[in-house]
Amino acid sequence: MELSIFDLSKHLGVVPDTIERWVRQGKLPVSKTGSNYRFRASELQKWASKHNISLNISDKKVPEKKNEAGIPLSHAVQNGGVYYDLLGEDVKSVLNASLERISKIPKDFKPDLLDRLMEREQALSTGIGNGIAIPHPRVPLGYLNEPLVAVCFLENPVDYQAMDQQPVKVLFLILCPDLKFHLHLLSALSFCLRDKSFVQFLNSCPDPGALIEKIDVLQNLNPL
Amino acid sequence: MNYKLLHIFRNTPFGRETFLQSLYFCKTIKAYPVVYIPKSDKFLMYFSNDAVQVDLDHSYLNSPETAKAHAEALFEEAGINPMFYEPKNFTASTLPDVSTNFDYLCCPRSVSDLSSKIGLGHIGPKVRRIIKHATFPVLISSPVFKSWTGISVFFGGSENAVKSLTLGLKIAMASGLPLNLYTLIEKNGEDYYREVVQKRNMESLVDKYVTKWHFYENEAFDTMLYEVPHDSLIVLGAYGHGIIKELLLGSKMEIIQSTVTNNLLIVGPNCTISLQ
Amino acid sequence: MQTIKNIYRAIYYRLFRLDDRLLLIVAGSLAGICSGLAAVALRLSLESVIEWLHPFRHYWWAFVLPAAGALLSSLYLEKVSKEGAGHGVPEVIYAVSRYGGLLRLRSSYSRLISSFLTISSGGSAGPEAPVVMSGSAIGSNIAKFLVLNDRQRITLVGCGTAGAISAIFNAPIAGLVFSIEVLLGEWKFVNIIPIAIAAVAGAQISQAIIPEQVLFNHQPFNTMAADILPCLCLAVLTAFTSVFFTKSLRKIGGFAKKSSLPLWSRAIIGGCLVGVIGIHMPLVLGEGYHFIQTMISGSFSMGLFLTFVAIFAKIFATAMTLGWGGSGGIFAPCLLIGSLTGVAFHKTLFFLLPSAGIASEGAYALLGMTGLISGVMQAPLTGIFLIVEITGGYETILPLILVSSISATMSHYIEPASFYLKDLIEKGQFMRPGTDARILSDLSLNEIIETNYTKVSENMVFRDFIEIIKLSQHNFFPVIEDETQIYKGIIQIRTIRKYALEPGMYDMVFLNQIMDTEVATASLEDDLQDVLDMMDLNNMDSIPVVENGRFVGMIQKTRILDLYRRELIMQTNI
């Protein structure tokens, strides 16, 4: 395998100018063809081991940390599903009713998840005002395969101890296997909920297709 | 971009012409002239495989007290921020090292002979050595300041000619002036030259920027030189011939430079030119 | 034809280019031979001209001879070969440490001619520094011809030097040691072999042309345990003498530089003064090998007082010659002053304690030479091996080592920079491989700078800027003028954080109101050393680089550390 100056500069973490200087100073094994320098990987490897230099020419680099774009909100909503006319008169009962409807959660974990959601509600209400709440557990749920956001429209508004004291009509349940998805989804969701028309749109209990489409449009406006 | 041209200032009327040329060149291609006012009659330039000592003739040291003011006045006239180069390192106390980290260098045809002798004479041996080792193109100015409104590239199909074509394109892009290509057909036909360009993936650029590609038969060298517009900047490559070969065969560059009065931009064998 | 070419290429690349040991040995021995020839040529021509001029020494006008020589030599250097002044060794060290040993072709002969003119006419100087200069230039130009890289070129410069020193003294080990200890400053396996071979080649050339075996013949010395104490005293004495010698060289040279006299008149004045001293004390003239020989063989006739005077006369004459326009080295004067010091010491001792059972005067002359060489050059190994080799005897090795190391240590204590390095250290140009100064000078700002910054306009509203911050990974945002793109200032997230958290301000301010315009900036031409100093002074972790009023990028300390480490590994391991 042959490398160019540019390739090698990537592997050694320096700029091409530095490689050129090292070649001029005679510090790298190089073969020159015309006016181009070529480096042979095998020679470089030998040279590096002789001089105790860590050189990783193979492409097995530690994968760069991906930008935490993760999964788009609309996708997560699709995963989680949209549910209508949930019954219940207090926080616990509506949450329980919601969990019952979400099929992606394994049955055995539902009671535990309910406890965790309640724990979170008791610490600080997730009702963010305008009749909307975002219940979620504080720890990641390892048993889920992918993050999901379930949208639940309540039959009767419930007192949720929200910031603006308004009763809550819509729940966005965020359930994630990993914290980084959680943050991303939370921020994407709050971006959408800042949009007044979207809140009004929610009040009309739209059907799933329209809701997901609307979210899709909105999240594309989000620069993040 | 921050292209910089090194100009070695000579505080004489002749030097002024050269400097005006530098200023014009820089203004046209949007580069910055950096002026070095020599304080001793010699300096060293360290290239990657050679140390070239440039011995300046005495006129470079003329009336040092007015040199800076003269240079600044000319800068002001051209509306360019004056910039001066001060050598930081000295090989010996009277022998400063001049950095080679520039994008262009402006030279009169000779730096160590008296200006009266040169007119359109030979390119001095030092200038030649600088060209041979420099990693930047060298602007050889016409004896008297001459503005140019076009670019003529002499394209002979060699590696170096490709570099000069690249440089010509670069200057055409920066200045927006028309670019003409001149080729003297030696052994191969026209297609050969077009193929060379094609191989380097430069076709689209050539189509876009080159106004016309002129071809001449081998004998028509003088005609070609005559037909090159007098008010254009000539860009050409120089070869790293040994001195003996040059004495025996003569070099094209030598004929060109002693025949035409245009400003020459010479691309040496060690130049690296990229289109960025 | 094609196959031959291919075979040639295969051999060339397999043998030479990929593994350069063989190439370096071949080219190194060539450099050794050439520089050896140059050294021998200088030595022979000096000998014959000194012989030829000898009859004229007795005329009253003989004092103008050194003046004429110095005049010619300085005019030659200045007008014909247009070299800079100085004896050249610092120049070689400078070229080795900064430019990978690039030397001009003209250096390979110019110093030979100028020093020939100076020394043959009677100027007090030695031929060694000139041959070092020309030998190293020969090595460098061979490397240039073969298009070698810096590391190989430096080795060849060392080869040329070793060949020259070993040829002029017929002392191969001294050549090897001098070249590595003084010139290259790094003991590396890849260097030592070619340089050793070049040193041997140089010595062989010298032996083939000049058949004599050692420079100074002498009877075997008997040094005993009783000599140890006097040796220690002698070492201290030589250390002081060498410091005095170095200082007076610099003082008198500096005095000449300050005076507004033209070059030629300086050379004449200096030369005449040397000539006048020379008429009364012929010992100061020329390189003085003849007198060293008489001192070593014990037949030196001057009395104690005169010997002391001679030390100072020689020091003064050397300083006048070298500082005022002549050209040459300090090696031979060092040897002469050293042997004079040794003899004077021995005479004093003998005068005070007539019955002391110590070694002969010659042995002390020898020890004095070692002491002075090591003291002036601060290169103890060179001192030891040179004296051992030029006198051809190992019997004094113990006191030699003693004197050499003590003298070098003492003079290093008084004057930390040796004669060759003093100028370089003063200019901040002394850069041995692997030292901080070298790494900083090798790393240019171009290699460290990070350029992918988002430029923002000074007329941008703060709210828009907040949107940019959200998307960006950077902590710095250069602010530029709209039309001219000129750099106006910089915004650091650190300093605007409190405003960024205050939405009420978002529509109230423009960026030119919150940008920092006081931040120090660097330019691409600056040395890294200066930039680091600037950062330390202003307590910054990052500094913007501005060129022609345009923002180019930022220099960050974290990046510097990263590259500094790589560079250190590259310089010390390879």
Side-chain angles (χ1 to χ4, degrees), chain B residues 203-217:
Chain B
E203 226 182 356
S204 56
L205 283 171
V206 168
D207 287 346
K208 191 170 167 198
Y209 289 99
V210 174
T211 324
K212 190 162 183 242
W213 194 337
H214 310 259
F215 287 97
Y216 292 88
E217 289 306 317

mmCIF file of all heavy atoms in Angstrom, chain B residues 203-217:
data_model
loop_
_atom_site.group_PDB
_atom_site.id
_atom_site.type_symbol
_atom_site.label_atom_id
_atom_site.label_comp_id
_atom_site.label_asym_id
_atom_site.label_seq_id
_atom_site.Cartn_x
_atom_site.Cartn_y
_atom_site.Cartn_z
ATOM 1 N N GLU B 203 -8.771 20.518 -18.425
ATOM 2 C CA GLU B 203 -9.449 20.914 -19.660
ATOM 3 C C GLU B 203 -10.513 21.978 -19.429
ATOM 4 O O GLU B 203 -10.561 22.983 -20.120
ATOM 5 C CB GLU B 203 -10.094 19.682 -20.268
ATOM 6 C CG GLU B 203 -9.844 19.550 -21.729
ATOM 7 C CD GLU B 203 -10.556 18.342 -22.251
ATOM 8 O OE1 GLU B 203 -11.161 17.612 -21.440
ATOM 9 O OE2 GLU B 203 -10.517 18.131 -23.463
ATOM 10 N N SER B 204 -11.345 21.723 -18.396
ATOM 11 C CA SER B 204 -12.464 22.634 -18.192
ATOM 12 C C SER B 204 -11.954 24.030 -17.843
ATOM 13 O O SER B 204 -12.501 25.030 -18.315
ATOM 14 C CB SER B 204 -13.368 22.095 -17.093
ATOM 15 O OG SER B 204 -12.609 21.901 -15.920
ATOM 16 N N LEU B 205 -10.903 24.059 -17.034
ATOM 17 C CA LEU B 205 -10.342 25.358 -16.658
ATOM 18 C C LEU B 205 -9.781 26.070 -17.881
ATOM 19 O O LEU B 205 -9.979 27.273 -18.063
ATOM 20 C CB LEU B 205 -9.242 25.181 -15.619
ATOM 21 C CG LEU B 205 -9.715 24.913 -14.200
ATOM 22 C CD1 LEU B 205 -8.545 24.549 -13.321
ATOM 23 C CD2 LEU B 205 -10.423 26.144 -13.656
ATOM 24 N N VAL B 206 -9.088 25.288 -18.712
ATOM 25 C CA VAL B 206 -8.501 25.892 -19.907
ATOM 26 C C VAL B 206 -9.614 26.431 -20.801
ATOM 27 O O VAL B 206 -9.541 27.550 -21.301
ATOM 28 C CB VAL B 206 -7.626 24.863 -20.648
ATOM 29 C CG1 VAL B 206 -7.249 25.380 -22.026
ATOM 30 C CG2 VAL B 206 -6.370 24.573 -19.844
ATOM 31 N N ASP B 207 -10.668 25.626 -20.970
ATOM 32 C CA ASP B 207 -11.783 26.088 -21.809
ATOM 33 C C ASP B 207 -12.396 27.364 -21.256
ATOM 34 O O ASP B 207 -12.813 28.244 -21.997
ATOM 35 C CB ASP B 207 -12.868 25.001 -21.871
ATOM 36 C CG ASP B 207 -12.413 23.856 -22.741
ATOM 37 O OD1 ASP B 207 -11.419 24.055 -23.470
ATOM 38 O OD2 ASP B 207 -13.021 22.773 -22.672
ATOM 39 N N LYS B 208 -12.418 27.439 -19.939
ATOM 40 C CA LYS B 208 -13.110 28.549 -19.316
ATOM 41 C C LYS B 208 -12.293 29.842 -19.397
ATOM 42 O O LYS B 208 -12.842 30.915 -19.637
ATOM 43 C CB LYS B 208 -13.394 28.190 -17.853
ATOM 44 C CG LYS B 208 -14.339 29.139 -17.169
ATOM 45 C CD LYS B 208 -14.746 28.571 -15.814
ATOM 46 C CE LYS B 208 -15.430 29.636 -14.989
ATOM 47 N NZ LYS B 208 -15.450 29.284 -13.579
ATOM 48 N N TYR B 209 -10.994 29.727 -19.161
ATOM 49 C CA TYR B 209 -10.206 30.945 -19.011
ATOM 50 C C TYR B 209 -9.354 31.321 -20.219
ATOM 51 O O TYR B 209 -8.989 32.469 -20.373
ATOM 52 C CB TYR B 209 -9.306 30.845 -17.777
ATOM 53 C CG TYR B 209 -10.078 30.921 -16.489
ATOM 54 C CD1 TYR B 209 -10.412 29.764 -15.798
ATOM 55 C CD2 TYR B 209 -10.492 32.141 -15.986
ATOM 56 C CE1 TYR B 209 -11.148 29.825 -14.626
ATOM 57 C CE2 TYR B 209 -11.222 32.215 -14.819
ATOM 58 C CZ TYR B 209 -11.550 31.059 -14.151
ATOM 59 O OH TYR B 209 -12.270 31.134 -13.001
ATOM 60 N N VAL B 210 -8.983 30.321 -21.032
ATOM 61 C CA VAL B 210 -8.077 30.641 -22.126
ATOM 62 C C VAL B 210 -8.856 31.239 -23.285
ATOM 63 O O VAL B 210 -9.832 30.646 -23.765
ATOM 64 C CB VAL B 210 -7.319 29.379 -22.571
ATOM 65 C CG1 VAL B 210 -6.492 29.673 -23.810
ATOM 66 C CG2 VAL B 210 -6.438 28.879 -21.454
ATOM 67 N N THR B 211 -8.460 32.416 -23.689
ATOM 68 C CA THR B 211 -9.151 33.081 -24.798
ATOM 69 C C THR B 211 -8.830 32.363 -26.102
ATOM 70 O O THR B 211 -9.715 32.045 -26.886
ATOM 71 C CB THR B 211 -8.694 34.546 -24.913
ATOM 72 O OG1 THR B 211 -8.483 35.044 -23.605
ATOM 73 C CG2 THR B 211 -9.705 35.371 -25.645
ATOM 74 N N LYS B 212 -7.546 32.146 -26.353
ATOM 75 C CA LYS B 212 -7.179 31.487 -27.594
ATOM 76 C C LYS B 212 -5.892 30.706 -27.389
ATOM 77 O O LYS B 212 -5.016 31.113 -26.613
ATOM 78 C CB LYS B 212 -6.970 32.538 -28.697
ATOM 79 C CG LYS B 212 -6.819 31.891 -30.041
ATOM 80 C CD LYS B 212 -7.049 32.845 -31.189
ATOM 81 C CE LYS B 212 -6.950 32.062 -32.492
ATOM 82 N NZ LYS B 212 -5.887 32.498 -33.352
ATOM 83 N N TRP B 213 -5.834 29.580 -28.080
ATOM 84 C CA TRP B 213 -4.609 28.777 -28.022
ATOM 85 C C TRP B 213 -3.935 28.886 -29.376
ATOM 86 O O TRP B 213 -4.456 28.403 -30.369
ATOM 87 C CB TRP B 213 -4.960 27.318 -27.677
ATOM 88 C CG TRP B 213 -3.773 26.499 -27.270
ATOM 89 C CD1 TRP B 213 -2.487 26.748 -27.575
ATOM 90 C CD2 TRP B 213 -3.780 25.309 -26.486
ATOM 91 N NE1 TRP B 213 -1.682 25.793 -27.026
ATOM 92 C CE2 TRP B 213 -2.449 24.897 -26.349
ATOM 93 C CE3 TRP B 213 -4.795 24.534 -25.881
ATOM 94 C CZ2 TRP B 213 -2.090 23.755 -25.651
ATOM 95 C CZ3 TRP B 213 -4.446 23.398 -25.190
ATOM 96 C CH2 TRP B 213 -3.097 23.017 -25.068
ATOM 97 N N HIS B 214 -2.783 29.553 -29.416
ATOM 98 C CA HIS B 214 -2.079 29.753 -30.678
ATOM 99 C C HIS B 214 -1.054 28.658 -30.861
ATOM 100 O O HIS B 214 -0.294 28.365 -29.934
ATOM 101 C CB HIS B 214 -1.357 31.103 -30.687
ATOM 102 C CG HIS B 214 -2.228 32.240 -30.282
ATOM 103 N ND1 HIS B 214 -2.793 33.093 -31.186
ATOM 104 C CD2 HIS B 214 -2.641 32.675 -29.062
ATOM 105 C CE1 HIS B 214 -3.503 34.006 -30.536
ATOM 106 N NE2 HIS B 214 -3.431 33.761 -29.249
ATOM 107 N N PHE B 215 -1.019 28.092 -32.078
ATOM 108 C CA PHE B 215 0.011 27.102 -32.382
ATOM 109 C C PHE B 215 0.931 27.625 -33.468
ATOM 110 O O PHE B 215 0.482 28.284 -34.407
ATOM 111 C CB PHE B 215 -0.626 25.781 -32.834
ATOM 112 C CG PHE B 215 -1.256 25.036 -31.691
ATOM 113 C CD1 PHE B 215 -2.614 25.136 -31.437
ATOM 114 C CD2 PHE B 215 -0.480 24.234 -30.871
ATOM 115 C CE1 PHE B 215 -3.189 24.456 -30.379
ATOM 116 C CE2 PHE B 215 -1.050 23.543 -29.807
ATOM 117 C CZ PHE B 215 -2.411 23.662 -29.574
ATOM 118 N N TYR B 216 2.214 27.332 -33.302
ATOM 119 C CA TYR B 216 3.180 27.791 -34.318
ATOM 120 C C TYR B 216 4.046 26.617 -34.724
ATOM 121 O O TYR B 216 4.342 25.738 -33.919
ATOM 122 C CB TYR B 216 4.076 28.898 -33.743
ATOM 123 C CG TYR B 216 3.312 30.166 -33.483
ATOM 124 C CD1 TYR B 216 2.676 30.365 -32.286
ATOM 125 C CD2 TYR B 216 3.216 31.156 -34.461
ATOM 126 C CE1 TYR B 216 1.952 31.507 -32.031
ATOM 127 C CE2 TYR B 216 2.510 32.315 -34.215
ATOM 128 C CZ TYR B 216 1.872 32.487 -33.006
ATOM 129 O OH TYR B 216 1.163 33.627 -32.770
ATOM 130 N N GLU B 217 4.477 26.650 -35.981
ATOM 131 C CA GLU B 217 5.420 25.630 -36.442
ATOM 132 C C GLU B 217 6.777 25.899 -35.801
ATOM 133 O O GLU B 217 7.049 27.002 -35.354
ATOM 134 C CB GLU B 217 5.528 25.662 -37.980
ATOM 135 C CG GLU B 217 4.289 25.150 -38.679
ATOM 136 C CD GLU B 217 3.881 23.765 -38.227
ATOM 137 O OE1 GLU B 217 4.780 22.902 -38.085
ATOM 138 O OE2 GLU B 217 2.681 23.541 -37.982
#
